Amino acid sequence: MQNMKNQVRGSGMDARSNPANVSDGLQNSSGHIGANTRYRLTKLGEQMARLPIDPKIARILLAAKKHDCMAEILVIASALSIQDPRERPLEARDAASKAHERFTDKQSDFLAYLNIWDSFQRERDKGLSNKQLVQWCRQYFLSHLRMREWRELHHQLAQTAIEMGLTTKEAAFRQPPSQEQLRPSESQGDQDLAAKLKQKQLDKKQHRAQIRAAKEAGYEQIHRALLTGLIANVGMKSPDGNDYTGARGSRFHLFPASALFKAKPKWVMAAELVETTRLYARDVAVIQPEWIEQEAPHLVRYHYFEPHWEQKRGEVVASERVTLYGLTVLPRRPVSYGKVAPEEAREIFIRGALVAQESNLQTAFFVHNKKLIKEITELEHKSRKQDVLVDDEALFAFYNERLPELVWKDAKGGVWGSEEGGQTQSDKTADQNGQANQRNAGSVAQAAHADTKDTDNRERDPSSHTRQNVSDDPKPKKQSASQKGRLKPLPLADIRTFEAWLKTAERDNPRLLFLSRDDLMQHAAAHITEEQFPKFWQTADGKFKLSYRFEPHHPLDGVTMTVPLTVLNRLHAPSLEWLVPGMLREKIQLLIKALPKQIRRICVPVPDFIIKFLESNPDRQAAIIPQLAHFIAKSAGDMRILEQIDQDAWTAQELPEHCYLNLRIIDDGGQELAGGRKLYELQQQLGQAAAVTFRDNTQEFERDNVTTWDIGTLPESIKFARGKQQLTGYLGLQKEKDGRIALRLFDTSAAAAQAHRLGVIELMKLQLKEQVKDLNKGIQGFTQAAMLLKHINADTLRDDLTQAVCDRAFIGEDELPRNEKAFKEQIKRARSRLPAVKEALSRYLQETAAAYAELNGKLGKHPLTHLLRQRLQTLLAPGFATRTPWAQWPRLPIYLKAMTLRLEKYSSNPARDAAREADIQELEQMWKDKVQSLLKQNQLFSNDLKMFKWQIEELRVSLFAQELKTPSSVSIKRLIKEWATILKN
């Protein structure tokens, strides 16, 4: 019934004045009229009934007053009420079309009527006779008879409109717009020809822009007025075709004679839909879809979907879709959802803004609750169990219990949580004495919303939310004065309203929304202590912040340590394996799980075994796996189990990401430079930058161009401050790229020791210039040796040999000098040792070169040629002189002679040779893998590991040339045992 009444109101018809028009209008509006329908016309309907034209056209005329375009609409309305004055005879269709082109408008067929009217009026104003007017009409294929009919109807409508007060006599009759000529610019007289042409172009462009602006302003006014009566004839172009989708699912095409037929704009409005071979729209115009909602708000329907909390806007928002008779006018726009569905919007507000903390609130309760939730969440991250913090439903229940369903705003701007909160005492007394039957405006609005709200796929009719325009009672009851200015209901669905209510509510209870630990925690979490999960990682260089996160597969899952770039090279990989106490047990348990079953049995029950292992006080600066393997063997009472545990394979076993400490490297400004769980990769990536950064602002400790020991005593280490951090540096001499010697500060003792040895040797060379000069001339027998070792450049070989002699004679096994006295004593020793070292190296070189020449001459096409050439490349590659330990120099010729003997013996038993080579290759591969692993991790090599390589060379002598003998007994079994010892240590 309500819907029908609204339609009566919208069609604007008067039953008392013209019942036939009322029925026609109702049928046009909805198509459903009951036999016993009762209705009452609005004032608009009474005005429409007085106009002797189609109700749609009448509605357009009344809208013209609102849009101030009555003269234009009177012309178009009268044109739409008669037969089209344009003639299109079949025998002259093309000529007629060409003649009518002067009247067409590219955007609107309605404006063509105005153009015809204006053209005809101009001809009349010229004082033409009736015969001349008839000829003019024939020239442009216009019917003079219909033009006269048009003018008569226009005059009648104009008179009626004037009588009804819709317009004045002066404004009712349209005068043809004056065709202003282009006026030349006043400043053209003083310009040259080029400037005049340019100014003329600018004047034309400005003139066209003025005409276009005036036309666009009038276009919207005229067509918005037309839309009020032609609302059922709008259409949107189909995305996949040339037809249009109209109201109630209809589909139509533009009439071929329309000026818009080729352009096919997205939205059009038609004067009528005519069905012939197909449904055609005649007299169409371009419109904007926004006009439909603005001109016919009572006919559109609103659909709401995807309600959500939007932090940026600070309110609950939904997407609104506007439709007209099933045709989508506006597909999506954001609207405040609190006015649509207050209860649901309140729930979304609580869940989004308060429970999920997705808001920018700065209130005391919100800051307190956020901090408390963060602290408890950190406990979960540490324990890696989500069993401490209560779930979101518990938080929602907490806020839902304390927040009102609606809030009420009084006349002074105060916001209250109940209707009574904002009432004055006089208001309450007035209600008690005579207004018990009147409900407050907020309750009415809430009930209306409850009946008509739409969420997801439901819809609402906005007319039912507003005041009721149709009523059976002609005199509605008036509200009392106290009720009129009393309270205004507001939905609790945005930050501004919430803050206003909170300001009032906290007067009575300042801690109304404050959460406590008991509200948030499911259990006490007594096992999550700072001892088990420390906040900082303590080292000699200070303490570094630790952060925890429980989110599997996230890059920051587990524990993350933030480390300044300056101390990156000083981190010790084995110590990082131990994580924090609270996470260590899980890691050890996973390591044990990765062992073979027969060894894993020794660790049962695993929790008790882990406790015993940790109680044995393992070295937290050494790797876990060697110590754990040793403890397993010790617990079993059989140390031979160590040989059964493949520690390299065990180490390579991948554990979950959180079992490795995550490193976050930052610069001095706190910006992250890199991150990851593999220290050696970070050191390879940023190690050089870390060393340079470490030396920043340490010029007080360093010196350039050192030529003699005038640098005093060098301490083993130096402590200095960098901001709030206490760092330890190591001083040493270093040979720069340009050959000069400098005193530098290093970030690790190993880097300092390596650089200092080379730096001391270079400084000693400056003090022993004559001896070094003599040494550079060449070692005895060098020329012959260089000819035999022709795969190495002679200059490269000479420099390599010189450096090897200096290293042995100047330093050898001595301790590096760190003061002037020790340096001078070292020079004395160097002077005395230099001749002997030079003579010994000369002898070793000649023997090595001779053995190499003999071997090289026998290789030829022997089956072992490829293998032995690889061995030669390893032993005698460029730089071999400085790489070979002094103790191994006498053995170099022996290794080469062993290869020669192997060649001679090979043919007697190739299978035995291959088997022995396979055993050696296995040992050598183990050594290479270990060295590669240590290089990746930037760890130092032990002396035993370095010498193991030469033990393998002695094994080759023992297996392939036993007659050459070895300094000590060596066999595959002995080396395997020694390898196990190296791994253990």
Side-chain angles (χ1 to χ4, degrees), residues 701-712 714 731-736 738-744 756 758-767 769 820 823:
F701 305 116
E702 299 185 340
R703 252 189 65 185
D704 293 328
N705 198 22
V706 178
T707 58
T708 185
W709 197 288
D710 55 356
I711 53 178
L714 300 183
L731 284 170
L733 293 173
Q734 176 176 274
K735 181 182 178 181
E736 301 287 89
D738 59 2
R740 297 183 181 183
I741 304 165
L743 179 63
R744 293 287 180 254
H756 188 54
L758 296 175
V760 168
I761 292 173
E762 291 301 315
L763 189 60
M764 290 178 74
K765 285 181 181 180
L766 295 179
Q767 313 307 314
K769 290 182 180 179
E820 187 177 9
F823 180 71

mmCIF file of all heavy atoms in Angstrom, residues 701-712 714 731-736 738-744 756 758-767 769 820 823:
data_model
loop_
_atom_site.group_PDB
_atom_site.id
_atom_site.type_symbol
_atom_site.label_atom_id
_atom_site.label_comp_id
_atom_site.label_asym_id
_atom_site.label_seq_id
_atom_site.Cartn_x
_atom_site.Cartn_y
_atom_site.Cartn_z
ATOM 1 N N PHE A 701 93.543 6.150 16.325
ATOM 2 C CA PHE A 701 94.320 4.919 16.531
ATOM 3 C C PHE A 701 95.164 4.562 15.309
ATOM 4 O O PHE A 701 96.025 3.690 15.389
ATOM 5 C CB PHE A 701 93.389 3.737 16.837
ATOM 6 C CG PHE A 701 92.466 3.977 18.010
ATOM 7 C CD1 PHE A 701 91.091 4.028 17.823
ATOM 8 C CD2 PHE A 701 92.964 4.161 19.284
ATOM 9 C CE1 PHE A 701 90.237 4.244 18.882
ATOM 10 C CE2 PHE A 701 92.116 4.376 20.360
ATOM 11 C CZ PHE A 701 90.753 4.425 20.162
ATOM 12 N N GLU A 702 94.899 5.183 14.152
ATOM 13 C CA GLU A 702 95.520 4.753 12.905
ATOM 14 C C GLU A 702 96.565 5.763 12.415
ATOM 15 O O GLU A 702 96.565 6.943 12.815
ATOM 16 C CB GLU A 702 94.445 4.549 11.826
ATOM 17 C CG GLU A 702 93.421 3.489 12.193
ATOM 18 C CD GLU A 702 92.443 3.209 11.078
ATOM 19 O OE1 GLU A 702 92.302 4.064 10.184
ATOM 20 O OE2 GLU A 702 91.832 2.125 11.097
ATOM 21 N N ARG A 703 97.437 5.241 11.535
ATOM 22 C CA ARG A 703 98.456 6.097 10.919
ATOM 23 C C ARG A 703 98.739 5.625 9.508
ATOM 24 O O ARG A 703 98.772 4.423 9.239
ATOM 25 C CB ARG A 703 99.752 6.055 11.731
ATOM 26 C CG ARG A 703 100.020 7.354 12.507
ATOM 27 C CD ARG A 703 101.388 7.332 13.099
ATOM 28 N NE ARG A 703 102.406 7.333 12.054
ATOM 29 C CZ ARG A 703 103.696 7.214 12.290
ATOM 30 N NH1 ARG A 703 104.131 7.046 13.529
ATOM 31 N NH2 ARG A 703 104.563 7.221 11.288
ATOM 32 N N ASP A 704 98.989 6.568 8.605
ATOM 33 C CA ASP A 704 99.334 6.236 7.228
ATOM 34 C C ASP A 704 100.844 6.365 7.021
ATOM 35 O O ASP A 704 101.529 7.084 7.754
ATOM 36 C CB ASP A 704 98.595 7.179 6.261
ATOM 37 C CG ASP A 704 97.094 6.969 6.272
ATOM 38 O OD1 ASP A 704 96.670 5.815 6.495
ATOM 39 O OD2 ASP A 704 96.353 7.950 6.078
ATOM 40 N N ASN A 705 101.324 5.668 5.986
ATOM 41 C CA ASN A 705 102.727 5.793 5.540
ATOM 42 C C ASN A 705 103.722 5.579 6.681
ATOM 43 O O ASN A 705 104.513 6.463 7.020
ATOM 44 C CB ASN A 705 102.932 7.167 4.883
ATOM 45 C CG ASN A 705 104.185 7.195 4.033
ATOM 46 O OD1 ASN A 705 104.681 6.150 3.604
ATOM 47 N ND2 ASN A 705 104.708 8.389 3.798
ATOM 48 N N VAL A 706 103.679 4.386 7.259
ATOM 49 C CA VAL A 706 104.645 4.012 8.302
ATOM 50 C C VAL A 706 105.893 3.482 7.606
ATOM 51 O O VAL A 706 105.817 2.536 6.814
ATOM 52 C CB VAL A 706 104.045 2.940 9.247
ATOM 53 C CG1 VAL A 706 105.076 2.519 10.285
ATOM 54 C CG2 VAL A 706 102.790 3.474 9.919
ATOM 55 N N THR A 707 107.069 4.100 7.898
ATOM 56 C CA THR A 707 108.333 3.664 7.272
ATOM 57 C C THR A 707 109.315 3.088 8.272
ATOM 58 O O THR A 707 110.291 2.436 7.876
ATOM 59 C CB THR A 707 108.986 4.839 6.534
ATOM 60 O OG1 THR A 707 109.213 5.914 7.462
ATOM 61 C CG2 THR A 707 108.096 5.334 5.388
ATOM 62 N N THR A 708 109.074 3.328 9.537
ATOM 63 C CA THR A 708 109.904 2.767 10.591
ATOM 64 C C THR A 708 109.043 2.578 11.818
ATOM 65 O O THR A 708 107.921 3.104 11.894
ATOM 66 C CB THR A 708 111.091 3.690 10.910
ATOM 67 O OG1 THR A 708 111.943 3.053 11.870
ATOM 68 C CG2 THR A 708 110.618 5.040 11.460
ATOM 69 N N TRP A 709 109.556 1.800 12.756
ATOM 70 C CA TRP A 709 108.732 1.533 13.949
ATOM 71 C C TRP A 709 108.791 2.729 14.888
ATOM 72 O O TRP A 709 109.592 2.782 15.820
ATOM 73 C CB TRP A 709 109.194 0.266 14.649
ATOM 74 C CG TRP A 709 108.130 -0.230 15.607
ATOM 75 C CD1 TRP A 709 107.777 0.329 16.791
ATOM 76 C CD2 TRP A 709 107.262 -1.346 15.434
ATOM 77 N NE1 TRP A 709 106.738 -0.366 17.375
ATOM 78 C CE2 TRP A 709 106.400 -1.408 16.551
ATOM 79 C CE3 TRP A 709 107.139 -2.300 14.427
ATOM 80 C CZ2 TRP A 709 105.442 -2.409 16.703
ATOM 81 C CZ3 TRP A 709 106.166 -3.285 14.580
ATOM 82 C CH2 TRP A 709 105.329 -3.336 15.707
ATOM 83 N N ASP A 710 107.950 3.700 14.639
ATOM 84 C CA ASP A 710 107.829 4.856 15.519
ATOM 85 C C ASP A 710 106.400 4.982 16.029
ATOM 86 O O ASP A 710 105.897 6.071 16.284
ATOM 87 C CB ASP A 710 108.245 6.122 14.779
ATOM 88 C CG ASP A 710 107.459 6.318 13.490
ATOM 89 O OD1 ASP A 710 106.651 5.430 13.155
ATOM 90 O OD2 ASP A 710 107.654 7.345 12.816
ATOM 91 N N ILE A 711 105.749 3.835 16.129
ATOM 92 C CA ILE A 711 104.320 3.800 16.507
ATOM 93 C C ILE A 711 104.122 3.319 17.935
ATOM 94 O O ILE A 711 102.995 3.036 18.354
ATOM 95 C CB ILE A 711 103.543 2.889 15.526
ATOM 96 C CG1 ILE A 711 104.193 1.517 15.425
ATOM 97 C CG2 ILE A 711 103.441 3.536 14.159
ATOM 98 C CD1 ILE A 711 103.478 0.539 14.514
ATOM 99 N N GLY A 712 105.247 3.221 18.699
ATOM 100 C CA GLY A 712 105.155 2.803 20.086
ATOM 101 C C GLY A 712 104.803 1.335 20.219
ATOM 102 O O GLY A 712 105.093 0.512 19.356
ATOM 103 N N LEU A 714 102.090 -1.633 20.394
ATOM 104 C CA LEU A 714 100.740 -1.966 19.921
ATOM 105 C C LEU A 714 100.062 -2.899 20.904
ATOM 106 O O LEU A 714 100.521 -4.037 21.106
ATOM 107 C CB LEU A 714 100.802 -2.632 18.544
ATOM 108 C CG LEU A 714 101.427 -1.822 17.406
ATOM 109 C CD1 LEU A 714 101.336 -2.613 16.110
ATOM 110 C CD2 LEU A 714 100.740 -0.481 17.254
ATOM 111 N N LEU A 731 94.711 -3.715 16.702
ATOM 112 C CA LEU A 731 95.643 -2.946 15.877
ATOM 113 C C LEU A 731 96.635 -3.855 15.175
ATOM 114 O O LEU A 731 97.045 -4.891 15.710
ATOM 115 C CB LEU A 731 96.399 -1.934 16.741
ATOM 116 C CG LEU A 731 95.615 -0.680 17.164
ATOM 117 C CD1 LEU A 731 96.402 0.097 18.195
ATOM 118 C CD2 LEU A 731 95.284 0.183 15.957
ATOM 119 N N GLY A 732 97.025 -3.450 13.969
ATOM 120 C CA GLY A 732 98.037 -4.194 13.242
ATOM 121 C C GLY A 732 98.518 -3.401 12.045
ATOM 122 O O GLY A 732 97.815 -2.526 11.535
ATOM 123 N N LEU A 733 99.745 -3.704 11.611
ATOM 124 C CA LEU A 733 100.284 -3.093 10.396
ATOM 125 C C LEU A 733 99.667 -3.767 9.175
ATOM 126 O O LEU A 733 99.413 -4.974 9.187
ATOM 127 C CB LEU A 733 101.802 -3.223 10.369
ATOM 128 C CG LEU A 733 102.567 -2.432 11.426
ATOM 129 C CD1 LEU A 733 104.041 -2.801 11.378
ATOM 130 C CD2 LEU A 733 102.378 -0.940 11.252
ATOM 131 N N GLN A 734 99.448 -2.976 8.128
ATOM 132 C CA GLN A 734 98.836 -3.528 6.918
ATOM 133 C C GLN A 734 99.498 -2.919 5.682
ATOM 134 O O GLN A 734 99.772 -1.722 5.628
ATOM 135 C CB GLN A 734 97.333 -3.213 6.889
ATOM 136 C CG GLN A 734 96.649 -3.668 5.615
ATOM 137 C CD GLN A 734 95.155 -3.424 5.662
ATOM 138 O OE1 GLN A 734 94.418 -4.248 6.171
ATOM 139 N NE2 GLN A 734 94.715 -2.291 5.141
ATOM 140 N N LYS A 735 99.760 -3.784 4.697
ATOM 141 C CA LYS A 735 100.282 -3.325 3.422
ATOM 142 C C LYS A 735 99.101 -2.863 2.565
ATOM 143 O O LYS A 735 98.190 -3.622 2.261
ATOM 144 C CB LYS A 735 101.035 -4.459 2.714
ATOM 145 C CG LYS A 735 101.637 -4.031 1.382
ATOM 146 C CD LYS A 735 102.327 -5.196 0.684
ATOM 147 C CE LYS A 735 102.883 -4.773 -0.666
ATOM 148 N NZ LYS A 735 103.537 -5.906 -1.371
ATOM 149 N N GLU A 736 99.121 -1.575 2.174
ATOM 150 C CA GLU A 736 98.036 -1.005 1.404
ATOM 151 C C GLU A 736 98.177 -1.405 -0.072
ATOM 152 O O GLU A 736 99.202 -1.962 -0.494
ATOM 153 C CB GLU A 736 98.049 0.517 1.527
ATOM 154 C CG GLU A 736 97.911 1.021 2.957
ATOM 155 C CD GLU A 736 96.517 0.862 3.521
ATOM 156 O OE1 GLU A 736 96.227 -0.193 4.107
ATOM 157 O OE2 GLU A 736 95.726 1.790 3.363
ATOM 158 N N ASP A 738 98.640 0.483 -2.569
ATOM 159 C CA ASP A 738 99.698 1.231 -3.250
ATOM 160 C C ASP A 738 101.099 0.831 -2.789
ATOM 161 O O ASP A 738 102.085 1.449 -3.185
ATOM 162 C CB ASP A 738 99.498 2.739 -3.043
ATOM 163 C CG ASP A 738 99.505 3.131 -1.566
ATOM 164 O OD1 ASP A 738 99.701 2.232 -0.717
ATOM 165 O OD2 ASP A 738 99.311 4.330 -1.269
ATOM 166 N N GLY A 739 101.214 -0.198 -1.932
ATOM 167 C CA GLY A 739 102.495 -0.695 -1.471
ATOM 168 C C GLY A 739 102.969 -0.066 -0.176
ATOM 169 O O GLY A 739 103.927 -0.550 0.437
ATOM 170 N N ARG A 740 102.313 1.011 0.268
ATOM 171 C CA ARG A 740 102.720 1.644 1.525
ATOM 172 C C ARG A 740 102.225 0.830 2.716
ATOM 173 O O ARG A 740 101.351 -0.017 2.594
ATOM 174 C CB ARG A 740 102.169 3.065 1.589
ATOM 175 C CG ARG A 740 102.701 3.985 0.492
ATOM 176 C CD ARG A 740 102.163 5.383 0.669
ATOM 177 N NE ARG A 740 102.653 6.280 -0.395
ATOM 178 C CZ ARG A 740 102.385 7.582 -0.443
ATOM 179 N NH1 ARG A 740 101.617 8.131 0.499
ATOM 180 N NH2 ARG A 740 102.861 8.328 -1.423
ATOM 181 N N ILE A 741 102.817 1.165 3.874
ATOM 182 C CA ILE A 741 102.459 0.450 5.109
ATOM 183 C C ILE A 741 101.681 1.407 5.996
ATOM 184 O O ILE A 741 102.041 2.589 6.128
ATOM 185 C CB ILE A 741 103.725 -0.055 5.836
ATOM 186 C CG1 ILE A 741 104.542 -0.931 4.894
ATOM 187 C CG2 ILE A 741 103.357 -0.837 7.085
ATOM 188 C CD1 ILE A 741 105.950 -1.174 5.355
ATOM 189 N N ALA A 742 100.602 0.929 6.610
ATOM 190 C CA ALA A 742 99.754 1.769 7.460
ATOM 191 C C ALA A 742 99.377 1.003 8.720
ATOM 192 O O ALA A 742 99.342 -0.227 8.736
ATOM 193 C CB ALA A 742 98.504 2.207 6.704
ATOM 194 N N LEU A 743 99.120 1.763 9.760
ATOM 195 C CA LEU A 743 98.615 1.177 11.006
ATOM 196 C C LEU A 743 97.098 1.257 10.952
ATOM 197 O O LEU A 743 96.530 2.341 10.791
ATOM 198 C CB LEU A 743 99.147 1.954 12.211
ATOM 199 C CG LEU A 743 98.682 1.473 13.590
ATOM 200 C CD1 LEU A 743 99.174 0.054 13.856
ATOM 201 C CD2 LEU A 743 99.169 2.411 14.697
ATOM 202 N N ARG A 744 96.445 0.110 11.082
ATOM 203 C CA ARG A 744 94.993 0.056 10.940
ATOM 204 C C ARG A 744 94.357 -0.659 12.126
ATOM 205 O O ARG A 744 94.990 -1.477 12.804
ATOM 206 C CB ARG A 744 94.606 -0.680 9.651
ATOM 207 C CG ARG A 744 94.995 0.073 8.379
ATOM 208 C CD ARG A 744 94.088 1.265 8.173
ATOM 209 N NE ARG A 744 94.435 2.007 6.959
ATOM 210 C CZ ARG A 744 95.044 3.184 6.959
ATOM 211 N NH1 ARG A 744 95.389 3.758 8.115
ATOM 212 N NH2 ARG A 744 95.311 3.813 5.841
ATOM 213 N N HIS A 756 98.866 -8.095 10.072
ATOM 214 C CA HIS A 756 100.060 -7.637 10.804
ATOM 215 C C HIS A 756 101.303 -8.416 10.368
ATOM 216 O O HIS A 756 102.395 -7.840 10.265
ATOM 217 C CB HIS A 756 99.824 -7.787 12.309
ATOM 218 C CG HIS A 756 100.897 -7.166 13.151
ATOM 219 N ND1 HIS A 756 101.283 -5.849 13.024
ATOM 220 C CD2 HIS A 756 101.685 -7.688 14.133
ATOM 221 C CE1 HIS A 756 102.243 -5.584 13.892
ATOM 222 N NE2 HIS A 756 102.512 -6.689 14.582
ATOM 223 N N LEU A 758 102.007 -9.709 7.379
ATOM 224 C CA LEU A 758 102.455 -9.166 6.097
ATOM 225 C C LEU A 758 102.981 -7.745 6.259
ATOM 226 O O LEU A 758 103.960 -7.345 5.603
ATOM 227 C CB LEU A 758 101.311 -9.191 5.094
ATOM 228 C CG LEU A 758 100.768 -10.573 4.706
ATOM 229 C CD1 LEU A 758 99.564 -10.438 3.793
ATOM 230 C CD2 LEU A 758 101.853 -11.412 4.035
ATOM 231 N N GLY A 759 102.321 -6.959 7.136
ATOM 232 C CA GLY A 759 102.767 -5.584 7.359
ATOM 233 C C GLY A 759 104.141 -5.514 7.989
ATOM 234 O O GLY A 759 104.971 -4.672 7.608
ATOM 235 N N VAL A 760 104.431 -6.409 8.960
ATOM 236 C CA VAL A 760 105.747 -6.446 9.612
ATOM 237 C C VAL A 760 106.821 -6.844 8.597
ATOM 238 O O VAL A 760 107.920 -6.265 8.565
ATOM 239 C CB VAL A 760 105.724 -7.407 10.816
ATOM 240 C CG1 VAL A 760 107.140 -7.671 11.322
ATOM 241 C CG2 VAL A 760 104.866 -6.835 11.931
ATOM 242 N N ILE A 761 106.521 -7.833 7.753
ATOM 243 C CA ILE A 761 107.490 -8.264 6.734
ATOM 244 C C ILE A 761 107.824 -7.106 5.806
ATOM 245 O O ILE A 761 108.998 -6.868 5.475
ATOM 246 C CB ILE A 761 106.940 -9.477 5.953
ATOM 247 C CG1 ILE A 761 106.869 -10.717 6.862
ATOM 248 C CG2 ILE A 761 107.790 -9.759 4.722
ATOM 249 C CD1 ILE A 761 106.187 -11.901 6.234
ATOM 250 N N GLU A 762 106.786 -6.344 5.363
ATOM 251 C CA GLU A 762 107.040 -5.220 4.469
ATOM 252 C C GLU A 762 107.845 -4.133 5.162
ATOM 253 O O GLU A 762 108.728 -3.507 4.547
ATOM 254 C CB GLU A 762 105.703 -4.637 3.965
ATOM 255 C CG GLU A 762 104.938 -5.534 3.030
ATOM 256 C CD GLU A 762 105.729 -5.899 1.791
ATOM 257 O OE1 GLU A 762 106.350 -4.986 1.189
ATOM 258 O OE2 GLU A 762 105.741 -7.091 1.431
ATOM 259 N N LEU A 763 107.586 -3.888 6.445
ATOM 260 C CA LEU A 763 108.341 -2.876 7.183
ATOM 261 C C LEU A 763 109.797 -3.306 7.370
ATOM 262 O O LEU A 763 110.710 -2.475 7.303
ATOM 263 C CB LEU A 763 107.665 -2.611 8.531
ATOM 264 C CG LEU A 763 108.196 -1.425 9.341
ATOM 265 C CD1 LEU A 763 108.044 -0.126 8.551
ATOM 266 C CD2 LEU A 763 107.462 -1.311 10.684
ATOM 267 N N MET A 764 110.019 -4.617 7.568
ATOM 268 C CA MET A 764 111.384 -5.130 7.706
ATOM 269 C C MET A 764 112.135 -5.026 6.380
ATOM 270 O O MET A 764 113.356 -4.826 6.353
ATOM 271 C CB MET A 764 111.345 -6.570 8.203
ATOM 272 C CG MET A 764 110.882 -6.690 9.662
ATOM 273 S SD MET A 764 110.777 -8.379 10.229
ATOM 274 C CE MET A 764 112.518 -8.773 10.403
ATOM 275 N N LYS A 765 111.406 -5.168 5.281
ATOM 276 C CA LYS A 765 112.062 -5.017 3.965
ATOM 277 C C LYS A 765 112.638 -3.616 3.813
ATOM 278 O O LYS A 765 113.700 -3.424 3.207
ATOM 279 C CB LYS A 765 111.062 -5.286 2.845
ATOM 280 C CG LYS A 765 110.715 -6.744 2.635
ATOM 281 C CD LYS A 765 109.727 -6.868 1.483
ATOM 282 C CE LYS A 765 109.331 -8.322 1.242
ATOM 283 N NZ LYS A 765 108.370 -8.461 0.124
ATOM 284 N N LEU A 766 111.920 -2.604 4.357
ATOM 285 C CA LEU A 766 112.436 -1.243 4.278
ATOM 286 C C LEU A 766 113.709 -1.072 5.087
ATOM 287 O O LEU A 766 114.580 -0.250 4.735
ATOM 288 C CB LEU A 766 111.360 -0.258 4.769
ATOM 289 C CG LEU A 766 110.071 -0.151 3.929
ATOM 290 C CD1 LEU A 766 109.106 0.833 4.566
ATOM 291 C CD2 LEU A 766 110.388 0.248 2.496
ATOM 292 N N GLN A 767 113.844 -1.837 6.186
ATOM 293 C CA GLN A 767 115.040 -1.749 7.030
ATOM 294 C C GLN A 767 116.178 -2.600 6.460
ATOM 295 O O GLN A 767 117.346 -2.379 6.797
ATOM 296 C CB GLN A 767 114.712 -2.196 8.461
ATOM 297 C CG GLN A 767 113.438 -1.598 9.053
ATOM 298 C CD GLN A 767 113.392 -0.082 8.981
ATOM 299 O OE1 GLN A 767 114.376 0.591 9.315
ATOM 300 N NE2 GLN A 767 112.272 0.474 8.531
ATOM 301 N N LYS A 769 117.034 -3.073 3.098
ATOM 302 C CA LYS A 769 116.928 -2.779 1.670
ATOM 303 C C LYS A 769 117.984 -3.502 0.854
ATOM 304 O O LYS A 769 117.692 -4.055 -0.214
ATOM 305 C CB LYS A 769 117.045 -1.269 1.453
ATOM 306 C CG LYS A 769 115.848 -0.482 1.942
ATOM 307 C CD LYS A 769 116.021 0.994 1.656
ATOM 308 C CE LYS A 769 114.815 1.787 2.140
ATOM 309 N NZ LYS A 769 114.989 3.248 1.883
ATOM 310 N N GLU A 820 108.871 -1.489 19.525
ATOM 311 C CA GLU A 820 110.097 -1.150 18.802
ATOM 312 C C GLU A 820 111.247 -2.069 19.163
ATOM 313 O O GLU A 820 112.012 -2.501 18.283
ATOM 314 C CB GLU A 820 110.475 0.303 19.074
ATOM 315 C CG GLU A 820 111.628 0.796 18.239
ATOM 316 C CD GLU A 820 111.932 2.255 18.484
ATOM 317 O OE1 GLU A 820 111.342 2.841 19.434
ATOM 318 O OE2 GLU A 820 112.752 2.816 17.737
ATOM 319 N N PHE A 823 110.859 -5.370 17.511
ATOM 320 C CA PHE A 823 111.043 -5.230 16.065
ATOM 321 C C PHE A 823 112.516 -5.205 15.697
ATOM 322 O O PHE A 823 112.951 -5.859 14.739
ATOM 323 C CB PHE A 823 110.332 -3.950 15.596
ATOM 324 C CG PHE A 823 110.449 -3.690 14.127
ATOM 325 C CD1 PHE A 823 109.773 -4.465 13.207
ATOM 326 C CD2 PHE A 823 111.284 -2.664 13.656
ATOM 327 C CE1 PHE A 823 109.892 -4.225 11.850
ATOM 328 C CE2 PHE A 823 111.409 -2.439 12.298
ATOM 329 C CZ PHE A 823 110.702 -3.216 11.393
#
